[in-house]
Amino acid sequence: MNLKKRLILANAATVVIPILITVFIAAAFLFISGRLLGNDVSLENYQRLSQIKLELLKTETGILRQTPEIVAEETFQRHLQEQLAAINGELIIVQDEKVIFQSLNLSKIDLAKCLAAGNLSRAAEPVVVGDVSYSVQTIPLNFKDGTQGSVLMLAPLDQAAVTLTRFLIVIGVTFVLAFMLTNFLVSYQFSRSILKPLHNLQSAAAEISRGNLDQTIIEEGDQEIRALCRDLELMRIKLKDSVHTQLKYEDNRKMLISSISHDLKTPVTSIKGYVEGILDGIANTPAKTERYLKTIALKAHQVDQMIDDLLLYAKLDLNQLPFDFARTDIEEYLKLCLLESEAELERQGIKVSLHNELTQKQAVFLDRERMKRVIMNILDNSCKYMNKEQGQIEILLRDTPTSVIVEVRDNGSGIPKGDLPHIFDRFYRSDAARSKGSGLGLAIAKQIIAGHHGRIWAVSQGEEGTSIMISLSKS
C-alpha cells in the first residue's frame, strides 16, 4: 500500500469508525429504553417538550409586562390558568408567603415542595405531584405595598422527553469519545507503519556508515518506503562491489609492481653482468666483446619491449587509447598481416598458411593497427612455445550467422588444461616458460578484442598444439 492510500484510509477511518460506534450505541440505547424500560423516545415527544418550554417563556414574558398587582385579579388568574392549561400546566400565586391562588388542590407537603423548588434555581430537580413530574419555573414579584410574592408555573414533564434528552447527550458524548479514541489509534498505527521501517533503515545506514557493507537493507513498509529501501540496497551492493573492485585493483597493482620488478630484474642483471665483464677485461677479444655487446643490446631491447607493453596495457585498461574503426575485408587484411611476418617466421623454420572457409567475402569493423598487434602477439606467442622441428601455424577463417571466427592454430607444445583459464591474465605464464616474454601479450590482445566488442579464447589440442579463437561481429 502506498502512503497516499494509507493517508486516505486513515482520514476516512477517523470519521467512519466514530459514526459506526455512535450508531451502535444509539441503537443499544433505544433498544434498552424502548424494549426493556418501556420509554418512548420519539421526535414527537421532543417537539412536545420544546413546545412546553416555549409556552412557559411566552407566559413569563406576558406576566413581566403587567403590573405585579394584576396577578391578584381573578380575571387575570383565570387567563393565566387557561394559558397553562394548553400544556396541562398548573399555577400557584404566592403573596407575602401566603398562597392566594392555586389551580389544583395540593397537600401541604406538595405545596411545600413546590415552594421550595420555586426558591431554588431554574435547574432544580422536577417536583413530583401524584404521578406527574413538574418542572417549576418561578417569576418573582414586587408589589407596590412593599410585599413580595411570586408566580409558580408548573409544566408537566413527559418521561419520554427526558429520555430523549438523555439520548442526545449519550450519543453526543459517545461520538466525541469515539472520535478521540479512533484518532489516537489510527495516528499510532499510521505513525508505526512509517516510523518502524524508517528506524530499521536508519540502523542499517548507521551500520553501512561504520563500514559494514554486509548489512542488508530489508524492503518493508509502504510502497514509497519500500522503493527507498530498494534503491539504498542497490546503492549498498554497488558500493560493496566498488570497494571489492578497489581492493582487487590494489592487489593487481601490488602484483603488477612485483611482476615488473621480477621481469625487469632478469635482463637488467644480465646487462650489468656483461657490462662488468667488458669493464673487467673478461671480454678480451674483439669477437667476445662483440658477443657481449650484442647480448647487452638484446636485453635492452627486451626491457624496452616490456615497458612498451606495460604502457599499452595500462592505456587499454583505463580506456585511454582511442580506436579508429574501419570496414575491412577480413581475408585481405589477414593476408597482409601474414605477409609482414612471413620472413621472420621462415627464418625460425615455421610454415604459416591461411585457409578461408567463408561462404562469401565478409567485412568487419576493426582498428587495423590495434588488430595487427593482436595477430602479431598471437604469432609471437606460438613461436615462443614451438617445440617441433617443423613448426606450423594455420589461420582458419569461418563464419556463423552473426560473426566471423578467426582461428590461429599451431603445433607447438600446447597449454595445460589448468592454465587455459588464465593465459589471458596479465603476467600469467606457465612455469616451464617463466622467462619468456613480458607476460602481457595475450592480455593486450584480450583488451583490444574487448574494444572491438568481440571475444577471444583458447582451445588446447593437447600435444598437437593450441588454437586461439577470435570472434568478431559482422559489419
Side-chain angles (χ1 to χ4, degrees), residues 195-231:
L195 294 179
K196 183 180 178 182
L198 289 180
H199 176 72
N200 294 337
L201 187 61
Q202 182 183 12
S203 300
E207 286 294 323
I208 293 173
S209 67
R210 285 191 285 267
N212 182 16
L213 297 179
D214 294 324
Q215 177 66 43
T216 304
I217 299 177
I218 302 174
E219 292 185 25
E220 57 181 339
D222 292 319
Q223 183 177 344
E224 292 83 355
I225 300 179
R226 291 175 67 89
L228 176 61
C229 292
R230 190 182 309 115
D231 292 339

Side-chain angles (χ1 to χ4, degrees), residues 22 25-26 29 163-177:
T22 303
I25 296 297
F29 185 94
T163 304
L164 180 61
T165 302
R166 293 175 180 171
F167 170 74
L168 295 177
I169 294 174
V170 168
I171 62 174
V173 173
T174 300
F175 180 80
V176 172
L177 293 178

Side-chain angles (χ1 to χ4, degrees), residues 240-253:
K240 183 178 179 180
D241 292 341
S242 177
V243 172
H244 177 73
T245 302
Q246 185 65 31
L247 292 175
K248 183 179 178 182
Y249 282 161
E250 184 67 19
D251 291 339
N252 288 342
R253 185 183 65 82

Side-chain angles (χ1 to χ4, degrees), residues 110-124:
D110 291 337
L111 183 59
K113 289 193 295 183
C114 291
L115 292 175
N119 291 329
L120 298 175
S121 64
R122 294 188 179 185

